[in-house]
Amino acid sequence: MNTKRIVGIALIATGILFCCGLMVFQYQHCVDMWSNTYKAQEYASALEYFFAVSKGAIAISILGGGALVISGILLRKKQS
């Protein structure tokens, strides 16, 4: 296999894992904050609390993961 192909695939997989991982960790944090503090009185569910306070974390995870995925795609396209 070509080295650029392997690196491209690795970048794509890393980007997806980075994006999903950051969102999962942020969601777990929000669930913990929602259940252990007074946030349960203000928000109906942990998911509602997550979307209310995590807009920045969602944007960072999508942009960071997207940059890696796009880099991997471009590297694979250069190969052919």
PDB file of all heavy atoms in Angstrom, residues 2-26:
ATOM      1  N   ASN A   2       0.355   2.269  -0.549  1.00  0.00           N
ATOM      2  CA  ASN A   2       1.059   3.544  -0.613  1.00  0.00           C
ATOM      3  C   ASN A   2       1.017   4.236   0.756  1.00  0.00           C
ATOM      4  O   ASN A   2       0.017   4.198   1.460  1.00  0.00           O
ATOM      5  CB  ASN A   2       0.384   4.411  -1.677  1.00  0.00           C
ATOM      6  CG  ASN A   2       1.200   5.619  -2.035  1.00  0.00           C
ATOM      7  OD1 ASN A   2       2.219   5.896  -1.409  1.00  0.00           O
ATOM      8  ND2 ASN A   2       0.746   6.342  -3.029  1.00  0.00           N
ATOM      9  N   THR A   3       2.117   4.894   1.125  1.00  0.00           N
ATOM     10  CA  THR A   3       2.212   5.560   2.419  1.00  0.00           C
ATOM     11  C   THR A   3       1.192   6.686   2.549  1.00  0.00           C
ATOM     12  O   THR A   3       0.586   6.867   3.614  1.00  0.00           O
ATOM     13  CB  THR A   3       3.636   6.122   2.617  1.00  0.00           C
ATOM     14  OG1 THR A   3       4.577   5.065   2.435  1.00  0.00           O
ATOM     15  CG2 THR A   3       3.792   6.702   3.993  1.00  0.00           C
ATOM     16  N   LYS A   4       0.971   7.452   1.480  1.00  0.00           N
ATOM     17  CA  LYS A   4      -0.007   8.545   1.541  1.00  0.00           C
ATOM     18  C   LYS A   4      -1.409   8.013   1.775  1.00  0.00           C
ATOM     19  O   LYS A   4      -2.212   8.640   2.470  1.00  0.00           O
ATOM     20  CB  LYS A   4       0.041   9.366   0.260  1.00  0.00           C
ATOM     21  CG  LYS A   4       1.253  10.257   0.149  1.00  0.00           C
ATOM     22  CD  LYS A   4       1.168  11.131  -1.067  1.00  0.00           C
ATOM     23  CE  LYS A   4       2.383  12.028  -1.168  1.00  0.00           C
ATOM     24  NZ  LYS A   4       2.311  12.910  -2.319  1.00  0.00           N
ATOM     25  N   ARG A   5      -1.703   6.871   1.214  1.00  0.00           N
ATOM     26  CA  ARG A   5      -3.020   6.272   1.411  1.00  0.00           C
ATOM     27  C   ARG A   5      -3.216   5.882   2.878  1.00  0.00           C
ATOM     28  O   ARG A   5      -4.267   6.144   3.467  1.00  0.00           O
ATOM     29  CB  ARG A   5      -3.172   5.055   0.509  1.00  0.00           C
ATOM     30  CG  ARG A   5      -4.492   4.365   0.652  1.00  0.00           C
ATOM     31  CD  ARG A   5      -4.547   3.135  -0.237  1.00  0.00           C
ATOM     32  NE  ARG A   5      -5.699   2.346   0.084  1.00  0.00           N
ATOM     33  CZ  ARG A   5      -6.665   2.058  -0.759  1.00  0.00           C
ATOM     34  NH1 ARG A   5      -6.586   2.487  -1.991  1.00  0.00           N
ATOM     35  NH2 ARG A   5      -7.681   1.340  -0.381  1.00  0.00           N
ATOM     36  N   ILE A   6      -2.206   5.279   3.471  1.00  0.00           N
ATOM     37  CA  ILE A   6      -2.293   4.861   4.872  1.00  0.00           C
ATOM     38  C   ILE A   6      -2.419   6.075   5.788  1.00  0.00           C
ATOM     39  O   ILE A   6      -3.247   6.098   6.706  1.00  0.00           O
ATOM     40  CB  ILE A   6      -1.059   4.014   5.256  1.00  0.00           C
ATOM     41  CG1 ILE A   6      -1.076   2.696   4.483  1.00  0.00           C
ATOM     42  CG2 ILE A   6      -1.032   3.749   6.757  1.00  0.00           C
ATOM     43  CD1 ILE A   6       0.185   1.884   4.615  1.00  0.00           C
ATOM     44  N   VAL A   7      -1.616   7.099   5.539  1.00  0.00           N
ATOM     45  CA  VAL A   7      -1.675   8.315   6.356  1.00  0.00           C
ATOM     46  C   VAL A   7      -3.030   9.001   6.182  1.00  0.00           C
ATOM     47  O   VAL A   7      -3.617   9.494   7.147  1.00  0.00           O
ATOM     48  CB  VAL A   7      -0.507   9.262   6.012  1.00  0.00           C
ATOM     49  CG1 VAL A   7      -0.659  10.593   6.716  1.00  0.00           C
ATOM     50  CG2 VAL A   7       0.819   8.623   6.382  1.00  0.00           C
ATOM     51  N   GLY A   8      -3.548   9.031   4.964  1.00  0.00           N
ATOM     52  CA  GLY A   8      -4.868   9.630   4.715  1.00  0.00           C
ATOM     53  C   GLY A   8      -5.970   8.917   5.469  1.00  0.00           C
ATOM     54  O   GLY A   8      -6.826   9.553   6.101  1.00  0.00           O
ATOM     55  N   ILE A   9      -5.945   7.596   5.435  1.00  0.00           N
ATOM     56  CA  ILE A   9      -6.946   6.816   6.158  1.00  0.00           C
ATOM     57  C   ILE A   9      -6.803   7.034   7.660  1.00  0.00           C
ATOM     58  O   ILE A   9      -7.794   7.170   8.382  1.00  0.00           O
ATOM     59  CB  ILE A   9      -6.835   5.318   5.791  1.00  0.00           C
ATOM     60  CG1 ILE A   9      -7.255   5.110   4.338  1.00  0.00           C
ATOM     61  CG2 ILE A   9      -7.678   4.458   6.722  1.00  0.00           C
ATOM     62  CD1 ILE A   9      -6.986   3.719   3.795  1.00  0.00           C
ATOM     63  N   ALA A  10      -5.556   7.089   8.143  1.00  0.00           N
ATOM     64  CA  ALA A  10      -5.316   7.319   9.568  1.00  0.00           C
ATOM     65  C   ALA A  10      -5.827   8.700   9.993  1.00  0.00           C
ATOM     66  O   ALA A  10      -6.406   8.855  11.082  1.00  0.00           O
ATOM     67  CB  ALA A  10      -3.834   7.181   9.883  1.00  0.00           C
ATOM     68  N   LEU A  11      -5.620   9.716   9.163  1.00  0.00           N
ATOM     69  CA  LEU A  11      -6.124  11.057   9.480  1.00  0.00           C
ATOM     70  C   LEU A  11      -7.645  11.093   9.529  1.00  0.00           C
ATOM     71  O   LEU A  11      -8.234  11.729  10.407  1.00  0.00           O
ATOM     72  CB  LEU A  11      -5.606  12.073   8.468  1.00  0.00           C
ATOM     73  CG  LEU A  11      -4.169  12.552   8.659  1.00  0.00           C
ATOM     74  CD1 LEU A  11      -3.747  13.401   7.460  1.00  0.00           C
ATOM     75  CD2 LEU A  11      -4.030  13.331   9.930  1.00  0.00           C
ATOM     76  N   ILE A  12      -8.274  10.426   8.594  1.00  0.00           N
ATOM     77  CA  ILE A  12      -9.741  10.377   8.570  1.00  0.00           C
ATOM     78  C   ILE A  12     -10.271   9.686   9.834  1.00  0.00           C
ATOM     79  O   ILE A  12     -11.179  10.190  10.503  1.00  0.00           O
ATOM     80  CB  ILE A  12     -10.248   9.685   7.293  1.00  0.00           C
ATOM     81  CG1 ILE A  12      -9.916  10.537   6.066  1.00  0.00           C
ATOM     82  CG2 ILE A  12     -11.741   9.396   7.377  1.00  0.00           C
ATOM     83  CD1 ILE A  12     -10.126   9.836   4.736  1.00  0.00           C
ATOM     84  N   ALA A  13      -9.697   8.541  10.167  1.00  0.00           N
ATOM     85  CA  ALA A  13     -10.142   7.805  11.360  1.00  0.00           C
ATOM     86  C   ALA A  13      -9.869   8.609  12.629  1.00  0.00           C
ATOM     87  O   ALA A  13     -10.716   8.668  13.537  1.00  0.00           O
ATOM     88  CB  ALA A  13      -9.434   6.453  11.427  1.00  0.00           C
ATOM     89  N   THR A  14      -8.716   9.252  12.708  1.00  0.00           N
ATOM     90  CA  THR A  14      -8.380  10.069  13.876  1.00  0.00           C
ATOM     91  C   THR A  14      -9.344  11.242  14.019  1.00  0.00           C
ATOM     92  O   THR A  14      -9.771  11.573  15.130  1.00  0.00           O
ATOM     93  CB  THR A  14      -6.932  10.582  13.775  1.00  0.00           C
ATOM     94  OG1 THR A  14      -6.060   9.465  13.636  1.00  0.00           O
ATOM     95  CG2 THR A  14      -6.546  11.390  14.994  1.00  0.00           C
ATOM     96  N   GLY A  15      -9.705  11.869  12.913  1.00  0.00           N
ATOM     97  CA  GLY A  15     -10.647  12.984  12.948  1.00  0.00           C
ATOM     98  C   GLY A  15     -12.013  12.570  13.459  1.00  0.00           C
ATOM     99  O   GLY A  15     -12.629  13.270  14.272  1.00  0.00           O
ATOM    100  N   ILE A  16     -12.484  11.434  12.993  1.00  0.00           N
ATOM    101  CA  ILE A  16     -13.790  10.939  13.440  1.00  0.00           C
ATOM    102  C   ILE A  16     -13.749  10.595  14.924  1.00  0.00           C
ATOM    103  O   ILE A  16     -14.650  10.957  15.688  1.00  0.00           O
ATOM    104  CB  ILE A  16     -14.230   9.736  12.584  1.00  0.00           C
ATOM    105  CG1 ILE A  16     -14.513  10.195  11.150  1.00  0.00           C
ATOM    106  CG2 ILE A  16     -15.445   9.037  13.190  1.00  0.00           C
ATOM    107  CD1 ILE A  16     -14.709   9.074  10.160  1.00  0.00           C
ATOM    108  N   LEU A  17     -12.692   9.904  15.342  1.00  0.00           N
ATOM    109  CA  LEU A  17     -12.555   9.549  16.761  1.00  0.00           C
ATOM    110  C   LEU A  17     -12.407  10.785  17.638  1.00  0.00           C
ATOM    111  O   LEU A  17     -12.962  10.844  18.740  1.00  0.00           O
ATOM    112  CB  LEU A  17     -11.369   8.614  16.955  1.00  0.00           C
ATOM    113  CG  LEU A  17     -11.543   7.207  16.413  1.00  0.00           C
ATOM    114  CD1 LEU A  17     -10.238   6.421  16.533  1.00  0.00           C
ATOM    115  CD2 LEU A  17     -12.662   6.493  17.135  1.00  0.00           C
ATOM    116  N   PHE A  18     -11.660  11.782  17.174  1.00  0.00           N
ATOM    117  CA  PHE A  18     -11.474  13.023  17.916  1.00  0.00           C
ATOM    118  C   PHE A  18     -12.808  13.718  18.132  1.00  0.00           C
ATOM    119  O   PHE A  18     -13.155  14.117  19.242  1.00  0.00           O
ATOM    120  CB  PHE A  18     -10.496  13.932  17.156  1.00  0.00           C
ATOM    121  CG  PHE A  18     -10.220  15.247  17.813  1.00  0.00           C
ATOM    122  CD1 PHE A  18      -9.351  15.332  18.881  1.00  0.00           C
ATOM    123  CD2 PHE A  18     -10.831  16.402  17.355  1.00  0.00           C
ATOM    124  CE1 PHE A  18      -9.091  16.552  19.493  1.00  0.00           C
ATOM    125  CE2 PHE A  18     -10.580  17.625  17.953  1.00  0.00           C
ATOM    126  CZ  PHE A  18      -9.709  17.694  19.025  1.00  0.00           C
ATOM    127  N   CYS A  19     -13.576  13.850  17.072  1.00  0.00           N
ATOM    128  CA  CYS A  19     -14.870  14.531  17.138  1.00  0.00           C
ATOM    129  C   CYS A  19     -15.831  13.790  18.071  1.00  0.00           C
ATOM    130  O   CYS A  19     -16.423  14.383  18.973  1.00  0.00           O
ATOM    131  CB  CYS A  19     -15.456  14.643  15.733  1.00  0.00           C
ATOM    132  SG  CYS A  19     -17.017  15.526  15.658  1.00  0.00           S
ATOM    133  N   CYS A  20     -15.963  12.507  17.861  1.00  0.00           N
ATOM    134  CA  CYS A  20     -16.881  11.721  18.694  1.00  0.00           C
ATOM    135  C   CYS A  20     -16.422  11.679  20.144  1.00  0.00           C
ATOM    136  O   CYS A  20     -17.236  11.789  21.063  1.00  0.00           O
ATOM    137  CB  CYS A  20     -17.015  10.315  18.135  1.00  0.00           C
ATOM    138  SG  CYS A  20     -17.836  10.244  16.543  1.00  0.00           S
ATOM    139  N   GLY A  21     -15.120  11.518  20.358  1.00  0.00           N
ATOM    140  CA  GLY A  21     -14.588  11.440  21.710  1.00  0.00           C
ATOM    141  C   GLY A  21     -14.827  12.705  22.504  1.00  0.00           C
ATOM    142  O   GLY A  21     -15.245  12.660  23.665  1.00  0.00           O
ATOM    143  N   LEU A  22     -14.551  13.856  21.894  1.00  0.00           N
ATOM    144  CA  LEU A  22     -14.774  15.116  22.601  1.00  0.00           C
ATOM    145  C   LEU A  22     -16.249  15.323  22.943  1.00  0.00           C
ATOM    146  O   LEU A  22     -16.578  15.784  24.030  1.00  0.00           O
ATOM    147  CB  LEU A  22     -14.274  16.291  21.768  1.00  0.00           C
ATOM    148  CG  LEU A  22     -12.785  16.578  21.820  1.00  0.00           C
ATOM    149  CD1 LEU A  22     -12.440  17.758  20.927  1.00  0.00           C
ATOM    150  CD2 LEU A  22     -12.329  16.856  23.227  1.00  0.00           C
ATOM    151  N   MET A  23     -17.126  14.976  22.017  1.00  0.00           N
ATOM    152  CA  MET A  23     -18.555  15.138  22.301  1.00  0.00           C
ATOM    153  C   MET A  23     -19.014  14.197  23.409  1.00  0.00           C
ATOM    154  O   MET A  23     -19.811  14.592  24.271  1.00  0.00           O
ATOM    155  CB  MET A  23     -19.371  14.924  21.041  1.00  0.00           C
ATOM    156  CG  MET A  23     -19.348  16.097  20.128  1.00  0.00           C
ATOM    157  SD  MET A  23     -20.690  15.986  18.969  1.00  0.00           S
ATOM    158  CE  MET A  23     -20.124  17.110  17.728  1.00  0.00           C
ATOM    159  N   VAL A  24     -18.527  12.970  23.402  1.00  0.00           N
ATOM    160  CA  VAL A  24     -18.913  12.019  24.447  1.00  0.00           C
ATOM    161  C   VAL A  24     -18.417  12.490  25.810  1.00  0.00           C
ATOM    162  O   VAL A  24     -19.163  12.456  26.796  1.00  0.00           O
ATOM    163  CB  VAL A  24     -18.388  10.605  24.117  1.00  0.00           C
ATOM    164  CG1 VAL A  24     -18.485   9.680  25.326  1.00  0.00           C
ATOM    165  CG2 VAL A  24     -19.150  10.018  22.944  1.00  0.00           C
ATOM    166  N   PHE A  25     -17.158  12.932  25.886  1.00  0.00           N
ATOM    167  CA  PHE A  25     -16.630  13.409  27.157  1.00  0.00           C
ATOM    168  C   PHE A  25     -17.389  14.645  27.653  1.00  0.00           C
ATOM    169  O   PHE A  25     -17.682  14.770  28.843  1.00  0.00           O
ATOM    170  CB  PHE A  25     -15.143  13.719  27.058  1.00  0.00           C
ATOM    171  CG  PHE A  25     -14.287  12.490  26.928  1.00  0.00           C
ATOM    172  CD1 PHE A  25     -13.294  12.437  25.975  1.00  0.00           C
ATOM    173  CD2 PHE A  25     -14.474  11.392  27.747  1.00  0.00           C
ATOM    174  CE1 PHE A  25     -12.498  11.309  25.850  1.00  0.00           C
ATOM    175  CE2 PHE A  25     -13.687  10.261  27.633  1.00  0.00           C
ATOM    176  CZ  PHE A  25     -12.702  10.217  26.677  1.00  0.00           C
ATOM    177  N   GLN A  26     -17.726  15.549  26.762  1.00  0.00           N
ATOM    178  CA  GLN A  26     -18.471  16.740  27.160  1.00  0.00           C
ATOM    179  C   GLN A  26     -19.883  16.367  27.607  1.00  0.00           C
ATOM    180  O   GLN A  26     -20.397  16.920  28.582  1.00  0.00           O
ATOM    181  CB  GLN A  26     -18.523  17.752  26.010  1.00  0.00           C
ATOM    182  CG  GLN A  26     -19.298  19.004  26.327  1.00  0.00           C
ATOM    183  CD  GLN A  26     -18.683  19.837  27.433  1.00  0.00           C
ATOM    184  OE1 GLN A  26     -17.522  19.712  27.749  1.00  0.00           O
ATOM    185  NE2 GLN A  26     -19.486  20.697  28.016  1.00  0.00           N
TER     186      GLN A  26
END
